[in-house]
Amino acid sequence: MLCAATAITAGAKVTLPNYITDNMIVQQTSILTVNGTAAPGSQVKVTAGWSEKPETVKAGADGRFSVRLATPEAGGPYSIVFEDSDGLLRIENVLSGEVWLCSGQSNMEFPVQGWTTVMDYDREVATAFHPDIRLLQVRTTTAYTPREDVEVNGGGWQICSSASMADFSAIAYFFARELNEKLKVPVGVIDTTWGGTPAEAWTSAEALGAVAGFEGELSALKEAGDDVDKLEAIYQRQMADWLKLDTEGLPTFDKAVMQRGGKWAPIDVPGYIERSALPGFDGIVWLQHLINVPADKARLPLELKFAAIDDEDETYFNGLLVGKGSGFDTPRSYTVPGGAVKAGDNVITIRVSDFGGEGGIAPGEAVAIADGLSIPLGGTWQYAVQSDFSKLPPKPASPGSSSYPSVLYNAMLSPLRNMPVKGVLWYQGCANVGRDEQYEPLFKALITDWRKLWGDDLPFYFVQLAGFLQPQAVQPDSEWAALRNAQSKALQLNNTAMAVAIDLGNPADIHPKDKQDVAHRLALIALSRDYGTGCEYAAPQCVSATPDGDAMVLTFSGPVVPTSKAITGFIIAGADGQFTTATPEQTDSRTLRLKAPWVKNPVAARYDWADFPCGNLYSEGGLPVAPFATDK
């Protein structure tokens, strides 16, 4: 979609991409390609304020034109004037400087103030006035095929101010602020993010063809294209086939009869099942509960009300299906016909399908209302597992979801390809936890894919996932640790770097509030690698692991410094693969010797390998040593 810019004289027909607006920053000493429309067949004269000579191009019969503008060294403000036979369009207050693209899911999307708040948000908001920092936020939208233009929030580029902090990426802002302070040049940041989205949604269909696991969705896209109804029909067929893969299941039972014993066990309702009986579970669960209806309310309609049921449900009353619902945060209200309501005991049976994240009957309202009488539904229910999705291949993605392969690449990334950027900042991975083996080739494919848009040498700097969930001293099967390890494999690609955030997490909050330090570590990478400041931007790495009798000797690429006398965060294992806590001894600034009394001849060592680990090794400059595993 093309739209007119903000400053237009009467009669002008020139329209420009949504990301070409007043207050924009262009990447200095680059080529800005502007594709727009004008009066069909007209001559379009483009005058950039930094250039002595205007560019003239001819619009085609369809009105489309394209012009390439060589941008100057950092400076401004400038105007860019587009003139056709019908008038002028002026883009004002344009600066030349450094432009960075910031993308990923919710931890990159997280604003300074708006969801909850970042650390020290009062001071951050009050001092957020930086005329040489400009912000562009891409609107969250999806597309099944690549689009020509993005949709944007706020009318386009915004001058950084306290007002812009309510919605804009905190990490992007803090990063821009540090670069602006250190480089003394204008800095623009483009926020194209969407919480809860996986990497495959940000990757083109073409690139995903080389990554195993997306064959079904890619086949559907090829077959249906932009036909939403056809895509939905294909998805429903794929889901039916996927559910048939579950051969264990639960024996058929009478939904009008209360079940006990066998595969049935008690569970507290309301409450998410992951927080009680089934930690980390995704799948299908049956829930049952008895309610007693007074005789004077029998044969009268009854309403079942729940705050929400995550993600989908089928709800039965005495064996009669009374409602179906979907949406993890959507309240449910189902009417039971009077003919199904008996005096005395009545059985509520709910089939809950949890496809990811938390699942079950959400905390909050849970009540049956019978002719003005409220019957609480909270308390002890019975549950049984129908399907455990962890035993199945990945679930087909819903085409209506922001998680569907390629839909964010098509709508929120690819259309920006003509906007030169210095590099990319990426913070994503939570939505791919549990799929670490797939993530390694997927993430590499994403980076390579984006470089087809902006060049093979595009700097790509990413944040490794912070600590999350409850600490465990020994957790070799941690899915979060495995995903972090898969992220680190992208360092095998040229011009990549990783900001380690393992020490900035919160065990109870997947969105830790310290975005300043995350942004600072990203800024250190850019300042050193792209702007030649020579500052330290990464802690030393483990470069060798050598068994030495009953010990494992680790050598690092530089000095490592523990924050206390006792070095923490290490586990080791022998040939049996059973890991246990190790006791490290630092023999010199770069060498650790790991031992455990009950491990003879250790063969593997891991550091900070847990959901929320407790390692305390840093560089001399205070940067954390990245999690690693010598056997991975």
Side-chain angles (χ1 to χ4, degrees), residues 61 70 104 135-136 169 189 310 461 494 561 595:
L135 318 171
L136 176 69
S169 163
V189 277
D310 185 353
Y461 307 144
N494 70 299
V561 182
K595 297 179 66 175

Side-chain angles (χ1 to χ4, degrees), residues 141-144 194 196-198 201 232 235 395-408:
T141 186
T142 63
Y144 299 119
W194 195 329
T197 55
E232 180 63 27
Y235 166 69
K395 182 185 78 69
S398 168
S401 165
S402 58
S403 297
Y404 201 73
S406 79
V407 294
L408 304 187

Side-chain angles (χ1 to χ4, degrees), residues 200-230:
E200 60 266 26
W202 295 98
T203 310
S204 73
E206 179 184 9
L208 289 173
V211 182
F214 304 109
E215 294 82 1
E217 290 88 350
L218 295 180
S219 175
L221 282 171
K222 185 175 181 180
E223 180 180 344
D226 272 341
D227 188 331
V228 178
D229 292 337
K230 191 170 185 178

